[in-house]
Amino acid sequence: MPSLASPLWTPCGFDHLTRSARGWLVPTDDYWRLWLQRPELALVEESCAAEQALHASLMDAPTRAVAPHELEAFEDDDARANHRLFLGFRDAVMSAGSLEAAYAGFFKAGSVQIPPLFLDLVVQALVCNLLDGVDGLDGAWQWRAAEMLFRRQRVRVQDGRVLSGDSDVLDMLNETGGLGAVGRLLMQSGAAIPEVNIEVLGDDNAARYLQSRAGNGRFNFVLDLTHEIQRELSHGLTLTMNRSQSGLKALALVLQKWVRHFHGVVVQVQPEARVDDEAWRWHVGLDVESTALLNDLYRGNEVAPERQQRLISLFRLTFDDPQDMQLDVRGKPVYLGLAMNTEGLLKIKPQNLLLNLPLARSI
């Protein structure tokens, strides 16, 4: 099968993957070669002869077995540990047969031994698979929302808008003005540095967002997650309007595709500003914060207002075919939660939708 082509996020290796008959991603030798060129595994000037020999051998035959003594001969402990983690990951994917099967298996096993960086790169490739062929204005919103599945976000409420930006990018800009080590030195010396603007994704810059994504792996557009806009009218009236281009709707579409891709079931996901359901039966937090919050609300525990305000959105997930659900909750909606922590950080755990949905059958 030919390898796939993706217009976005080349560093994740999507263009070095093939699809199985099920549509799941199967690595080629070039996919593993890309991993070997990452900073964690690439040779450096200090690399010893044993590391150089193994690296050259794996570049030639990326899936070959590696004997324990080949790693033990490494002089650098970090290099040895990094290669051992990579080989464990490689072997798990090869044994599972696809990135999807391996990813699901990592979490079903309970104790996850794969580094978070590896998992995020896998999810990034999976997202490319989900959105392959999605373009245009709506596509830009979905691609940006999909970044939330593998990139930690920093959320800020500003002028009534809920804005989500890549935390690493925003922190770098705050520390260096976007100029890296040089910018950090300038800021430490008190020198003025040019202002770097972060754009909020909108109709006027969607094409520029897609162009900026192509191949360079940058994550410098902010996503507006505002659910509703309130406008004060005369005579004390307030007009509340749902936003037609909320990033929450784009995220909902991505979550729909994620569930269908892994479970083979069709669901609909809709953002909800509030839930009034006395028959609430099932919920899934999309992150650590919302999981704990929804658990407390479900149990009837008191939740402080400040903590409730960290809830960014709820979502209603429904199954097109109720027969796909467990019998005891068949036909009932599943509520999803999305929340930031006390520092305004949000890290979605897409694996929660693999493990915690009330499915009649599992993966």
Side-chain angles (χ1 to χ4, degrees), residues 248-263:
L248 294 173
K249 294 185 178 181
L251 178 59
L253 289 174
V254 174
L255 298 178
Q256 286 179 194
K257 294 174 181 178
W258 180 269
V259 171
R260 182 170 187 172
H261 184 68
F262 272 95
H263 297 298

Side-chain angles (χ1 to χ4, degrees), residues 277-345:
D277 185 352
E278 295 183 358
W280 179 346
R281 294 293 304 279
W282 202 283
H283 62 267
V284 177
L286 296 173
D287 55 89
V288 172
E289 189 74 24
S290 66
T291 297
L293 178 59
L294 291 181
N295 286 344
D296 282 341
L297 291 173
Y298 183 76
R299 295 167 184 154
N301 298 336
E302 184 175 352
V303 177
E306 183 274 336
R307 187 178 170 205
Q308 290 190 44
Q309 291 174 1
R310 298 203 296 270
L311 185 67
I312 297 168
S313 182
L314 294 165
F315 299 85
R316 179 190 295 265
L317 183 151
T318 56
F319 287 74
D320 281 20
D321 185 354
Q323 298 301 314
D324 290 327
M325 302 182 69
Q326 293 179 14
L327 183 61
D328 57 333
V329 293
R330 191 161 290 169
K332 300 289 185 181
V334 175
Y335 296 107
L336 312 179
L338 187 71
M340 56 183 168
N341 66 15
T342 55
E343 298 176 341
L345 296 174

Side-chain angles (χ1 to χ4, degrees), residues 39 41-48 51-52:
L41 297 169
L43 294 176
V44 294
E45 186 177 348
E46 297 80 10
S47 296
C48 67
E51 183 180 350
Q52 293 179 37

